[in-house]
Amino acid sequence: MSTILPAPLTVTAESSIQRLTVDGPVEEMAQHIRELADTMIARGDTCPTGEDEDPLNLDCRLLHFVWAERAKHFLMLYRDVQLQLQVATLLIHEGASDRDQVADLYARSRHALKEALQEWEGDYRGQHDALERNEKQRRKQLNAWKLQHNPWPVYRHQLGELARQSEGLAKEFTKLQREQERFAALRELLDEAITASRQVMDRAEQRARELTDFISTGDHELERPGLIASKLEDYITEEATLPRLDRFTNTITAKTVRLMESMRVTVASDEGLLRYKEVNFRRATDQWVSAQVMPLLYELWEVAQQVGNGLNVAMVNVRNRALLLSNEVKAGHDVTFTNSSLAQPFVDFTERSQQRHRDYDILRQRLEQRIARDLRLTSVYRAEPGFLPLPLQSGINAFTHRQSRWVTDLQNWLGEHVTGLNKLLGDAAREDRLSISERTVRVIRQRSISPDNAAYTNILMTRGYIGESFLVGRERETNHLAQLIDSWRLGYRGSVVLTGNRLAGKTLFGEMITNRFFAGKTIRLKPNAQLTVQGRRTKTTGDLAEALAFVQKYTLQSRPLVWIDDLELWWDNDHSLAQNVRALGEHIDDYSGRIFYLVATTNAVYRHLDRFLDLDPVFQTEINLDAFSLADMQRAVLIRHGATQKQMVDAEGEPIGETAFGQLIRRIYRATQGNVGDTINRWAYYTERVDDERVRQPRGRRYNLPNFLSPDTATLLSTLLLEKRSRDYRLRKLFGPAYTERYGSILQRLIRIGIVTRNNDGSLEVAESVANDVGRMLDAETYLSYPN
């Protein structure tokens, strides 16, 4: 044996150590380990094993029993250094570590490997020289090795396995780098969504300042109110081009879907053994984003849109007052006003928006910190199990499983029974003394949102599509639509109508279909809204035929989906709903071979139109969304409740069990006859805040809407339900002189007790909290077909 470490091995080891720099590709370490392992194996194979081995050959016995073990430990150390440097490189790419820190890690790694190499050589040489000098000790050691199995075959296999592990780490690192780019794109998209919400709020505040300056400056002239009203009219009618939240949520879902579903990630080395995590990046990220990001993001947009709505209210108020002043001036009456008094609503709006701005900044900071801290691929290397784990009660089944407590024993129940019976009799007597209006108002108040519980109710009552994680059920309907779309792509007719009562989930289902099957190829048609097709822009009116002609003209080379939600809103003073529906049918007949039409409306509207216009032949099929199973309903409520990260507790403040949670859902499910939106809304209505972390649903009676219908009331409400939103002018035109005589006062009474609401833009509609109750009541009295 001429040398302890052969020259090729020494050169390879020292060279591989010197090339460990922060600027070098870390995955090259796998090549170095393979070279080292092959050289070590070649060195160990120079001595025979088995029947051919010489038990008295000191050099070979030292090689197999001592040198090989040190070689394995050196290679193991090199592999562990590779793992740490790969993790450090990933941290650099995410900005979680700077180059100086990582350069120091590289320097310490080189130092550790050099010391290990010197120790390997020194230890082997020291044992070899000691046994050469001491014959007695040498014979004793050789005899001891003779009684043992030669470990070289095992070491040989381990050296090869270490090289394979290193190569596996390099391949894993390449995959993780690609995955890291996807996480970076997802974080960038979330930042864009946050910035867009800020733009909505900043734009409203900027407009308020512009309008304040416009009104407050200039001479105090009698013509001034007319100019102000004209200016405000331009602002009000101007279509906002701000982004929609669902545009971001759809893209967030699309980017999440691109993440890997299954991957084994090496996370650490523990006493020579590698530890792994089996990670589903797609599912874990989707759940984490839905539970940790979307609630806060939705709250940000809620605050921003509240600011925008506040500006709209202020503009309408100032415009109306300016119009009144202008009319007074034109009539020759003496009027007194000041510019500052006209601008006061905008000053008040600015003061109120400052508090909203502070609330917004707190939410935004919390959300940005959460995204920056956790939404990173390197979170997989944390000591906690899994990847991006959710807090307790953030997942679907995040409940405290415990045995239900016995409320009372039989003796206590009997003792309280008489008192309870007397209380019920007293309540019944008081109930009889309440008027119908009082009972109606009581229902409206019970089904209203508590402002101090907004952090919980906002995510419960989310409108529209905000990601796949909130979709539950509808598998049968989705598969049906997928088959129809496949047939359409083969050249068959493509037209589907979605029906269902109010809050049945038509909008959510339609948006899911557009996102899943027509991402980037959907044209949403709304009356009096901005419409962009292939870069061409126009402003729609109440004329659906005109909007469809614009779509047809600029989609000659594409095959889009036209999505018309709330068909009943397509009317104005010049175009009736029936006229628009006829135009839609003709357009479907002509172009449904290359345009897929998805239309949504309520059961009542569809039955009413089908009765007079024979709508069934226009559409390939009607998909009714009223049916929603109890199991799916429980999942839907649990998902949204989990996303709020609040804990549901009982009257004593203890977390409720899964069984009790299910009973609460079933109780509401029966009351709403299985309507998914109504159930989720009532869950929000009936839930009150305990503290920042807990909510509860108080025990007690939940009231039903009394039968308050009269022929005139039923006629008015039937009109409002069919049109969904109407206006005073429209109702005057429909009812003629009878509106002034009877229906106007009935409408005011319905508004005062809360059955009808007036929106910020002046439109009228039946209150959402009782819309289905009113519809079923009208159906029972045969005033309106409102099937379930």
Side-chain angles (χ1 to χ4, degrees):
M1 182 174 174
S2 57
T3 59
I4 297 171
L5 286 179
L9 180 57
T10 304
V11 172
T12 301
E14 291 178 348
S15 174
S16 63
I17 293 172
Q18 291 301 324
R19 281 184 285 178
L20 286 182
T21 63
V22 70
D23 297 320
V26 68
E27 54 266 37
E28 284 186 359
M29 293 184 69
Q31 301 175 11
H32 304 159
I33 289 185
R34 171 54 68 183
E35 293 172 3
L36 287 168
D38 291 344
T39 307
M40 290 172 180
I41 290 172
R43 180 73 183 92
D45 287 344
T46 58
C47 291
T49 57
E51 296 180 356
D52 297 331
E53 66 183 75
D54 182 2
L56 300 179
N57 188 326
L58 178 62
D59 289 343
C60 284
R61 304 306 269 180
L62 277 169
L63 183 71
H64 286 170
F65 282 88
V66 177
W67 181 88
E69 182 184 10
R70 304 298 188 271
K72 182 189 76 170
H73 286 297
F74 178 82
L75 211 60
M76 193 180 298
L77 174 62
Y78 201 103
R79 179 208 61 189
D80 294 348
V81 168
Q82 176 189 352
L83 174 60
Q84 295 303 317
L85 294 182
Q86 287 182 178
V87 175
T89 304
L90 293 172
L91 289 170
I92 286 182
H93 292 165
E94 290 184 343
S97 182
D98 58 52
R99 290 180 63 85
D100 292 339
Q101 291 176 321
V102 177
D104 179 64
L105 176 62
Y106 271 83
R108 288 188 284 111
S109 299
R110 287 194 300 271
H111 179 72
L113 288 170
K114 286 179 180 178
E115 284 192 338
L117 182 60
Q118 294 171 359
E119 183 181 348
W120 177 18
E121 292 179 327
D123 185 54
Y124 179 88
R125 183 179 289 109
Q127 289 196 48
H128 180 273
D129 293 345
L131 292 175
E132 281 283 1
R133 290 193 302 267
N134 192 329
E135 182 179 356
K136 181 179 179 181
Q137 186 64 31
R138 182 172 68 252
R139 285 199 303 270
K140 181 179 179 181
Q141 184 62 66
L142 289 173
N143 286 333
W145 282 336
K146 186 178 180 180
L147 298 175
Q148 301 175 27
H149 290 290
N150 192 325
W152 173 244
V154 175
Y155 288 136
R156 191 182 193 281
H157 172 76
Q158 290 175 339
L159 294 174
E161 183 61 28
L162 286 169
R164 286 188 289 274
Q165 288 179 354
S166 177
E167 291 166 346
L169 287 175
K171 293 177 181 177
E172 177 186 301
F173 177 70
T174 302
K175 292 180 181 178
L176 291 175
Q177 282 184 310
R178 290 196 297 266
E179 202 73 356
Q180 195 172 52
E181 293 174 358
R182 298 188 181 105
F183 275 95
L186 182 57
R187 287 197 303 275
E188 183 178 352
L189 179 62
L190 289 170
D191 289 340
E192 291 178 10
I194 295 170
T195 302
S197 69
R198 180 61 178 264
Q199 291 173 351
V200 172
M201 188 164 57
D202 288 347
R203 185 171 185 265
E205 294 172 342
Q206 179 183 355
R207 282 196 162 191
R209 290 191 294 270
E210 291 174 356
L211 290 169
T212 302
D213 293 341
F214 174 77
I215 297 173
S216 300
T217 58
D219 296 332
H220 178 83
E221 302 173 350
L222 294 180
E223 295 81 7
R224 191 69 176 169
L227 295 175
I228 292 172
S230 177
K231 177 78 169 179
L232 289 172
E233 190 67 36
D234 293 339
Y235 270 91
I236 293 171
T237 57
E238 180 184 346
E239 178 63 29
T241 58
L242 296 173
R244 289 159 41 107
L245 174 59
D246 60 358
R247 178 172 70 84
F248 292 104
T249 55
N250 291 347
T251 312
I252 289 168
T253 300
K255 287 191 178 296
T256 305
V257 168
R258 295 173 188 164
L259 297 174
M260 295 184 65
E261 282 196 273
S262 179
M263 183 176 180
R264 190 178 76 162
V265 180
T266 310
V267 294
S269 175
D270 188 4
E271 296 183 355
L273 297 177
L274 295 180
R275 290 196 289 109
Y276 305 94
K277 283 184 181 179
E278 295 291 341
V279 181
N280 187 324
F281 284 111
R282 180 187 302 178
R283 183 176 62 207
T285 304
D286 184 48
Q287 291 177 347
W288 187 88
V289 168
S290 296
Q292 299 286 87
V293 173
M294 293 311 301
L296 289 177
L297 184 61
Y298 182 75
E299 282 193 63
L300 281 184
W301 279 81
E302 279 289 306
V303 173
Q305 288 170 352
Q306 285 171 5
V307 173
N309 292 337
L311 176 64
N312 292 335
V313 172
M315 287 195 297
V316 170
N317 289 340
V318 175
R319 182 200 61 181
N320 292 343
R321 188 180 177 201
L323 283 174
L324 289 174
L325 288 172
S326 179
N327 292 335
E328 290 288 317
V329 170
K330 292 177 182 178
H333 299 152
D334 291 334
V335 296
T336 57
F337 67 92
T338 62
N339 292 348
S340 59
S341 65
L342 278 177
Q344 189 59 42
F346 293 118
V347 176
D348 296 340
F349 162 78
T350 302
E351 293 176 353
R352 289 193 301 270
S353 68
Q354 290 176 356
Q355 179 58 47
R356 292 246 172 90
H357 216 127
R358 288 190 288 270
D359 296 339
Y360 176 92
D361 289 338
I362 293 172
L363 288 170
R364 178 177 180 175
Q365 182 179 11
R366 188 191 312 168
L367 178 57
E368 289 177 338
Q369 288 177 347
R370 187 173 293 178
I371 292 171
R373 182 184 66 242
D374 296 328
L375 191 56
R376 299 178 177 276
L377 178 135
T378 51
S379 295
V380 74
Y381 296 108
R382 293 176 179 175
E384 57 195 8
F387 175 68
L388 297 179
L390 298 176
L392 191 63
Q393 283 219 355
S394 286
I396 296 176
N397 294 318
F399 297 101
T400 303
H401 293 278
R402 61 186 181 87
Q403 296 296 325
S404 299
R405 291 193 299 266
W406 293 106
V407 180
T408 55
D409 56 23
L410 180 60
Q411 183 177 2
N412 290 336
W413 186 88
L414 289 172
E416 296 173 357
H417 179 64
V418 174
T419 303
L421 181 59
N422 290 335
K423 182 179 183 300
L424 288 175
L425 292 173
D427 289 343
R430 284 190 294 272
E431 185 77 11
D432 288 338
R433 290 196 296 268
L434 292 178
S435 68
I436 291 179
S437 293
E438 287 177 305
R439 279 181 276 170
T440 302
V441 169
R442 182 176 58 186
V443 172
I444 300 295
R445 291 188 62 184
Q446 192 176 58
R447 299 182 193 177
S448 58
I449 295 299
S450 174
D452 66 349
N453 201 26
Y456 183 85
T457 57
N458 279 347
I459 193 61
L460 260 294
M461 302 182 73
T462 301
R463 292 291 183 268
Y465 179 77
I466 62 169
E468 295 276 344
S469 293
F470 284 83
L471 294 176
V472 174
R474 306 300 192 199
E475 289 83 4
R476 180 176 59 83
E477 293 88 349
T478 303
N479 293 335
H480 188 183
L481 245 171
Q483 293 173 0
L484 293 169
I485 293 171
D486 288 340
S487 298
W488 170 76
R489 286 172 176 156
L490 295 175
Y492 295 94
R493 183 184 181 90
S495 58
V496 175
V497 60
L498 305 178
T499 60
N501 286 334
R502 287 285 300 275
L503 304 172
K506 300 182 292 296
T507 299
L508 178 59
F509 181 74
E511 291 291 344
M512 182 273 289
I513 293 299
T514 64
N515 181 73
R516 185 174 295 183
F517 298 103
F518 291 90
K521 298 180 180 180
T522 298
I523 300 171
R524 294 175 173 84
L525 288 187
K526 293 184 177 181
N528 305 307
Q530 197 74 27
L531 174 61
T532 302
V533 179
Q534 299 295 323
R536 308 297 181 96
R537 299 179 63 183
T538 188
K539 176 74 176 293
T540 63
T541 63
D543 187 354
L544 181 55
E546 183 182 48
L548 290 170
F550 183 82
V551 171
Q552 183 273 329
K553 182 178 179 180
Y554 295 109
T555 57
L556 297 176
Q557 305 301 321
S558 61
R559 291 172 61 81
L561 175 139
V562 170
W563 168 220
I564 303 176
D565 194 12
D566 294 328
L567 176 64
E568 58 270 24
L569 296 181
W570 277 95
W571 59 267
D572 60 14
N573 295 335
D574 301 318
H575 306 88
S576 67
L577 177 61
Q579 179 182 346
N580 281 328
V581 172
R582 288 192 192 95
L584 174 63
E586 293 171 0
H587 206 270
I588 290 175
D589 290 338
D590 292 338
Y591 301 106
S592 59
R594 66 176 181 84
I595 298 176
F596 194 95
Y597 298 83
L598 186 62
V599 180
T601 190
T602 63
N603 292 333
V605 172
Y606 188 75
R607 299 294 173 262
H608 180 77
L609 292 173
D610 185 50
R611 178 183 174 188
F612 298 102
L613 301 177
D614 194 21
L615 270 189
D616 275 344
V618 173
F619 298 99
Q620 281 290 88
T621 189
E622 173 195 355
I623 296 180
N624 186 271
L625 299 176
D626 283 322
F628 205 79
S629 69
L630 176 59
D632 286 337
M633 189 73 76
Q634 290 175 329
R635 290 173 56 212
V637 175
L638 290 174
I639 286 174
R640 295 193 178 226
H641 168 77
T644 66
Q645 301 186 60
K646 305 290 185 183
Q647 191 177 61
M648 182 66 68
V649 298
D650 57 18
E652 289 75 29
E654 293 293 329
I656 69 171
E658 187 173 3
T659 301
F661 205 100
Q663 289 173 348
L664 293 176
I665 298 172
R666 282 196 297 273
R667 181 182 179 185
I668 300 175
Y669 178 83
R670 289 192 297 267
T672 63
Q673 299 185 19
N675 183 288
V676 58
D678 235 347
T679 300
I680 292 175
N681 280 2
R682 291 200 196 181
W683 181 273
Y685 298 147
Y686 299 150
T687 303
E688 64 180 26
R689 178 180 180 271
V690 177
D691 52 37
D692 289 342
E693 306 297 331
R694 298 180 300 167
V695 293
R696 69 179 178 186
Q697 288 195 5
R699 298 170 184 168
R701 183 176 177 184
R702 292 168 185 173
Y703 299 100
N704 296 319
L705 201 63
N707 191 339
F708 59 90
L709 293 181
S710 67
D712 290 336
T713 304
T715 302
L716 181 59
L717 289 174
S718 297
T719 302
L720 290 175
L721 279 178
L722 285 175
E723 295 193 347
K724 189 173 182 179
R725 283 193 290 272
S726 190
R727 293 183 178 275
D728 298 88
Y729 175 82
R730 169 75 172 174
L731 295 175
R732 287 193 187 96
K733 187 175 180 181
L734 286 174
F735 291 105
Y739 181 82
T740 304
E741 298 172 6
R742 296 195 306 275
Y743 293 105
S745 60
I746 293 173
L747 177 63
Q748 291 304 315
R749 185 164 63 250
L750 292 174
I751 292 174
R752 291 192 186 100
I753 64 176
I755 294 294
V756 175
T757 60
R758 188 181 294 277
N759 300 316
N760 290 336
D761 61 358
S763 62
L764 299 160
E765 64 177 300
V766 177
E768 184 179 86
S769 61
V770 295
N772 285 324
D773 302 72
V774 171
R776 286 189 286 267
M777 198 178 295
L778 292 169
D779 183 71
E781 300 290 334
T782 67
Y783 287 105
L784 181 70
S785 177
Y786 202 84
N788 192 22

